[in-house]
Amino acid sequence: MTKTKTKTSEKRQNKGYHIDVRFTEEEYKQIVANAAKCGMPKSLYVHNTVLGHQPKQLMTEGQEEALKSLSAARSELVGIRNALHGLPQEVRKRYFKNERFMEAWIEGINYLIRQWDAIREKFMG
């Protein structure tokens, strides 16, 4: 079985219309800087913003590491929550010995997971 490669130009929709736009030097510098922050060529950045899209800035290395750490911590909490949820009530009571404490603890973990999801959404857009 052989795959046939298609040229990039064949994949793209033919864009037969062209608009010339002029910018001041300051505007041009701002467009170039914003496009670079988003990791996009300036023409694609202008195209998308004119059509109402809001390109997202790329994350810094520090933000990427923070997000990875946040995701790993969330995964651990989800694993703990799921493991506890799967246990019979009597076993959970033995672990925690105090039913109110256990319920508050599980509620706290659920709150943290929701908060971390909200933070992740802000990172991911």
Side-chain angles (χ1 to χ4, degrees):
M1 180 175 173
T2 58
K3 288 185 177 180
T4 58
K5 292 185 177 180
T6 58
K7 293 181 182 178
T8 303
S9 60
E10 291 175 3
K11 292 181 197 175
R12 293 185 186 152
Q13 181 181 4
N14 183 12
K15 297 180 181 177
Y17 298 95
H18 181 113
I19 298 174
D20 288 322
V21 181
R22 299 200 181 270
F23 298 99
T24 65
E25 182 177 356
E26 203 52 43
E27 291 168 336
Y28 179 80
K29 286 179 182 179
Q30 185 177 354
I31 290 168
V32 170
N34 289 345
K37 288 178 186 176
C38 296
M40 301 171 75
K42 60 184 177 286
S43 60
L44 182 59
Y45 177 82
V46 170
H47 177 270
N48 289 351
T49 54
V50 165
L51 293 177
H53 303 285
Q54 295 181 350
K56 303 282 185 211
Q57 289 187 8
L58 297 175
M59 286 191 277
T60 65
E61 283 185 35
Q63 288 172 326
E64 285 182 32
E65 287 302 313
L67 185 59
K68 286 178 189 176
S69 176
L70 188 62
S71 294
R74 181 190 179 280
S75 295
E76 289 293 321
L77 284 174
V78 168
I80 292 168
R81 180 195 62 189
N82 291 343
L84 286 171
H85 186 69
L87 294 174
Q89 182 124 0
E90 285 72 32
V91 174
R92 285 187 273 175
K93 283 181 184 179
R94 276 188 303 210
Y95 282 153
F96 290 92
K97 297 190 183 189
N98 182 323
E99 191 172 343
R100 280 186 270 148
F101 173 80
M102 179 187 69
E103 288 172 359
W105 190 81
I106 291 172
E107 186 179 314
I109 284 186
N110 286 333
Y111 172 77
L112 286 174
I113 291 169
R114 286 191 304 273
Q115 289 299 106
W116 285 353
D117 282 341
I119 293 168
R120 188 180 66 204
E121 280 299 312
K122 289 180 182 178
F123 270 109
M124 307 302 284

